[in-house]
Amino acid sequence: MLLRAADEAELLQGMCSVIVEQGGYRMSCVAYAQQDEQKSISLAAFSLATPHDPAAEKALRNPHAGWGHDELGRSATGVAIRTGEPCVGRNLLTDPNHAPWRNWAVRFGYASVSAFPLSIDRQVIGALVISASEPDAFDEAEVRLLGELADDLAYGIGNLRMRLKHRQAEATIHLMAYSDALTGLPNRAALHDQLKAALAVAVERNRPLALLLISLDHLKEINDTLGYAQGDRLLQAFASRLAGAARPAETVARVGEAEFALLLPQTDADHAMQTAQRLVGLLHGPIEVDGLEFDVHTHTGIALFPGHGAEPDLLLRRARVAMFDATRAGRDHAIFTPNLDHESARRLALMGDLRRAIDQNELVLYCQPKLHLASAEIRGAEALLRWHHPTQGVVPTGEFVKLAEQVGLITPLTTWVLEAAFQQRYAWHAAGFEQPLSVNLSAHDLRDPTLLDKLKGLFATWGAQPDWIQFELTESALMDDPAAAIHILGCLKQLGIVLFIDDFGIGYSSLGYLHRLPVDALKIDQSFVIPVAQSMESAAIVGSAVELGHKLGLEVVAEGVETHAAWQRVTELGCDVAQGFYVGTPMPAEQFKAWVAASPWLGAVLAPH
Ligand code: C2E
Ligand code: MG
Ligand code: MG
């Protein structure tokens, strides 16, 4: 029995039957001790020598016995459970402890009873109870045997319970491995398996299938602004909206932080596009979370078997490429197009790497000096980000900044830069070196509602003065949403921070707005400054920009001064400050202080080097 039983009920029942049928007893049962207040006893299994005796069964099922210290606990069963020792050979007809049960003992023909405790890990869980029709039925050898039997039974129960626990743990682990804890949807591993199975069917039946990858926009901003709890609830609400939109044969899965997949069996390109279109109608629109309404927007990428691949990973990758194409093009959905693959794959890989770079400090803060032309004094530096990629080397800054803007990584990137800049600026201050450090902000940063609080936090943390840090905003970022820009610049100005318009001249700013922007300086774009010594037109543009800037009361910086001739020309044209390779190339920020100390510019008005 011990070896064969598949579960606890089968084991108990088998044991009771063997005891009655082969041991010749009148009744055998297993009673479990309940850990309730009354210390009651419950019947787990029994066997009677007189089978099909409903009255006897009923009496057994309602024993009115317990294992406490009261009258109901005095039965052999109660004593065995309470003491953990066998209670052997009680005479049911004469023993006063059994008075409450004497009537039914007489009625059903029980004259004596023995109870053996069942212990698992030294805890008594119940008793094996055996009744005989004779008053002195249990001799010494028999008791020893029955005691061993009870121990074996307890061991068997423990074993089965352990096995059950393991099975439950395995089931939980399996569930965890294949489903997403937050949304309850299948996860990436589950999708992979289902996609594989669906592909096998598709191959066999010569049918196409489609994989849709859907990204939920702005999750990052919601997480950053309102906190992860709200972001999580938005994800849950979106997941159930998506699951509701799917048809029975379709599989929905969550495959990334804000990425969901929809597997459409037997679906061609046409049908996939229709589904994507239908989803736009079903998924877009506000979702309410904690009383706030979030406008949900998605981008969907589509990849098809067999046209775009026959492997789960490849299809997923290509659906993701299509999803980014859709995002970049500002379209709701896009089908994978092979020729974009190489470039997209590189950008995709870079994007994944960038996330890691931010987390793992692969980024380095560089800075480039600015020279005040009239006094030949160094007027601070511009903070420039550098990314030393472990395999690709230095990634061009403009490229990865743009990428970060496109894929919603600019906020963590800017946060990194700000923290690094404040830390560096504090180090200068501690060393008695007071030069402003200007940080580039992007259009996205201006829309980040947490920016001001973050800045205030940094000022407080480092005990920073307003003149420690400056900001540069490109003209095009400001023109993105001029009214909002005026507002946020106003807030930054209130903190007493000096503000620059960067890349001036290529952002088509309207003069009407320019004079309303609370900025302190213009940086003329390098495309005009680099050729300024050779090109009359460039010189004319630089000259006009200087004039305009000065009329508006702004300082004018020439960016991209690469040569002595350009330096001379911008000085003549009235620029106040110069920045460029000729003045000094970008260097690791911690070298800047030493560079200034050894600067070739000290006292070198109009006659450097
Ligand atoms: P930017 O703000 O206009 O920065 C000036 C860029 O011109 C820098 O490129 C600098 O290395 C380069 N440069 C400096 N002097 C010369 C010169 O004489 N000739 C030429 N041809 N180039 C010169 P970099 O560091 O590659 O940065 C490119 C752009 O990336 C920056 O343009 C800025 O818009 C953005 N960027 C850099 N760091 C950050 C950052 O921390 N946050 C944000 N949001 N953007 C950043
Ligand atoms: Mg700049
Ligand atoms: Mg610039």
Side-chain angles (χ1 to χ4, degrees):
M1 248 358 276
L2 278 172
L3 293 177
R4 266 205 327 261
D7 60 31
E8 193 171 323
E10 190 185 332
L11 174 66
L12 300 183
Q13 192 54 57
M15 274 297 194
C16 291
S17 303
V18 167
I19 290 167
V20 169
E21 284 158 22
Q22 294 179 29
Y25 295 99
R26 190 155 178 84
M27 182 282 289
S28 159
C29 70
V30 172
Y32 280 159
Q34 297 301 305
Q35 299 300 325
D36 53 8
E37 216 174 305
Q38 304 88 337
K39 301 199 167 166
S40 58
I41 284 172
S42 70
L43 189 72
F46 66 88
S47 180
L48 297 172
T50 50
H52 316 301
D53 182 347
E57 284 180 19
K58 190 168 167 225
L60 258 186
R61 281 189 204 283
N62 302 300
H64 293 295
W67 56 281
H69 281 282
D70 54 5
E71 200 189 20
L72 293 180
R74 287 193 204 141
S75 72
T77 313
V79 173
I81 291 175
R82 194 166 57 243
T83 62
E85 297 293 333
C87 182
V88 176
R90 287 270 190 93
N91 187 322
L92 289 168
L93 307 175
T94 55
D95 184 346
N97 289 314
H98 279 264
W101 305 280
R102 183 157 306 141
N103 278 345
W104 65 266
V106 172
R107 180 171 166 202
F108 300 115
Y110 310 136
S112 62
V113 63
S114 289
F116 301 86
L118 297 170
S119 306
I120 300 176
D121 295 335
R122 292 207 202 97
Q123 203 202 334
V124 183
I125 59 155
L128 172 66
V129 187
I130 300 163
S131 276
S133 40
E134 316 84 46
D136 52 355
F138 300 91
D139 69 33
E140 209 176 303
E142 207 172 337
V143 166
R144 203 176 322 115
L145 191 71
L146 289 172
E148 281 168 16
L149 190 74
D151 289 345
D152 288 347
L153 178 60
Y155 173 80
I157 295 169
N159 227 356
L160 284 170
R161 287 187 181 180
M162 182 87 78
R163 249 196 267 166
L164 185 66
K165 251 192 225 158
H166 283 177
R167 271 204 300 274
Q168 284 165 344
E170 268 167 28
T172 312
I173 289 167
H174 185 267
L175 197 69
M176 277 161 55
Y178 280 89
S179 78
D180 170 49
L182 181 67
T183 62
L185 290 178
N187 63 7
R188 184 202 298 264
L191 177 78
H192 187 276
D193 286 1
Q194 299 203 17
L195 190 52
K196 205 165 156 186
L199 281 166
V201 173
V203 168
E204 198 183 291
R205 299 189 189 160
N206 285 321
R207 292 269 170 78
L209 71 73
L211 180 68
L212 271 56
L213 201 67
I214 304 159
S215 73
L216 174 62
D217 291 357
H218 306 309
L219 177 71
K220 177 104 198 52
E221 284 141 35
I222 291 166
N223 278 339
D224 287 344
T225 322
L226 298 166
Y228 285 95
Q230 238 130 355
D232 283 354
R233 278 198 287 281
L234 179 74
L235 275 171
Q236 286 167 330
F238 178 79
S240 65
R241 195 181 263 191
L242 178 59
R247 297 184 165 141
E250 303 170 352
T251 303
V252 179
R254 181 176 178 217
V255 294
E257 173 69 7
E259 275 175 21
F260 296 83
L262 186 64
L263 169 60
L264 309 176
Q266 302 196 21
T267 301
D268 59 13
D270 227 26
H271 182 184
M273 291 289 264
Q274 283 169 22
T275 304
Q277 194 54 48
R278 182 174 64 88
L279 286 179
V280 169
L282 294 170
L283 297 178
H284 288 195
I287 285 185
E288 198 189 294
V289 174
D290 294 350
L292 292 174
E293 285 212 335
F294 295 99
D295 223 4
V296 167
H297 198 252
T298 59
H299 293 285
T300 300
I302 304 169
L304 296 145
F305 165 81
H308 302 147
E311 292 295 320
D313 284 337
L314 185 62
L315 277 181
L316 197 61
R317 221 163 45 230
R318 297 197 150 168
R320 183 168 288 118
V321 168
M323 184 182 84
F324 280 114
D325 287 345
T327 309
R328 243 201 327 274
R331 301 211 318 263
D332 289 332
H333 47 78
I335 281 201
F336 171 74
T337 28
N339 51 1
L340 283 176
D341 197 20
H342 184 69
E343 177 55 15
S344 301
R346 195 184 85 86
R347 292 165 58 91
L348 259 183
L350 260 189
M351 192 200 69
D353 292 353
L354 182 55
R355 223 177 269 268
R356 188 204 55 215
I358 297 170
D359 294 339
Q360 301 187 355
N361 270 333
E362 280 169 25
L363 303 174
V364 186
L365 194 70
Y366 268 53
C367 69
Q368 186 181 30
K370 296 178 186 175
L371 176 74
H372 186 246
L373 291 167
S375 64
E377 277 170 5
I378 297 302
R379 276 286 175 84
E382 173 173 13
L384 294 166
L385 200 48
R386 291 292 177 265
W387 177 12
H388 297 295
H389 190 283
T391 56
Q392 299 196 16
V394 176
V395 186
T397 305
E399 182 183 342
F400 75 80
V401 167
K402 198 158 155 232
L403 191 65
E405 281 171 346
Q406 283 171 351
V407 299
L409 277 176
I410 195 71
T411 309
L413 197 74
T414 301
T415 305
W416 188 95
V417 174
L418 284 172
E419 278 167 3
F422 271 84
Q423 198 177 343
Q424 180 61 62
R425 188 55 191 81
Y426 174 79
W428 289 346
H429 170 73
F433 179 73
E434 304 292 357
Q435 290 277 359
L437 185 58
S438 68
V439 172
N440 291 284
L441 293 181
S442 79
H444 266 78
D445 295 322
L446 295 183
R447 279 184 242 120
D448 173 8
T450 64
L451 179 70
L452 284 174
D453 284 341
K454 225 179 293 177
L455 279 175
K456 287 177 189 162
L458 284 165
F459 272 103
T461 303
W462 296 102
Q465 297 303 309
D467 63 359
W468 282 19
I469 296 288
Q470 306 172 334
F471 288 122
E472 300 189 5
L473 301 121
T474 61
E475 192 186 13
S476 49
L478 295 173
M479 287 307 125
D480 230 29
D481 183 355
I486 289 174
H487 171 74
I488 180 91
L489 293 193
C491 297
L492 292 172
K493 273 294 0 145
Q494 270 181 358
L495 296 177
I497 300 174
V498 167
L499 303 174
F500 292 79
I501 298 184
D502 205 351
D503 300 353
F504 181 75
I506 57 168
Y508 313 107
S509 52
S510 101
L511 290 176
Y513 273 113
L514 199 56
H515 85 274
R516 289 174 54 198
L517 289 172
V519 295
D520 305 276
L522 291 182
K523 295 183 82 174
I524 304 174
D525 190 68
Q526 2 177 308
S527 57
F528 308 114
V529 175
I530 292 171
V532 73
Q534 298 86 42
S535 154
M536 297 281 284
E537 279 158 33
S538 297
I541 293 171
V542 171
S544 318
V546 169
E547 203 174 317
L548 175 68
H550 285 169
K551 279 221 173 84
L552 292 171
L554 307 176
E555 187 168 74
V556 177
V557 184
E559 237 189 355
V561 175
E562 291 185 344
T563 60
H564 180 76
W567 172 78
Q568 216 153 17
R569 197 79 187 94
V570 297
T571 309
E572 286 158 15
L573 288 167
C575 291
D576 304 294
V577 174
Q579 181 183 345
F581 297 160
Y582 182 66
V583 174
T585 50
M587 63 193 85
E590 72 265 11
Q591 294 174 10
F592 180 60
K593 181 172 166 290
W595 183 88
V596 173
S599 168
W601 293 98
L602 280 173
V605 182
L606 266 181
H609 301 311

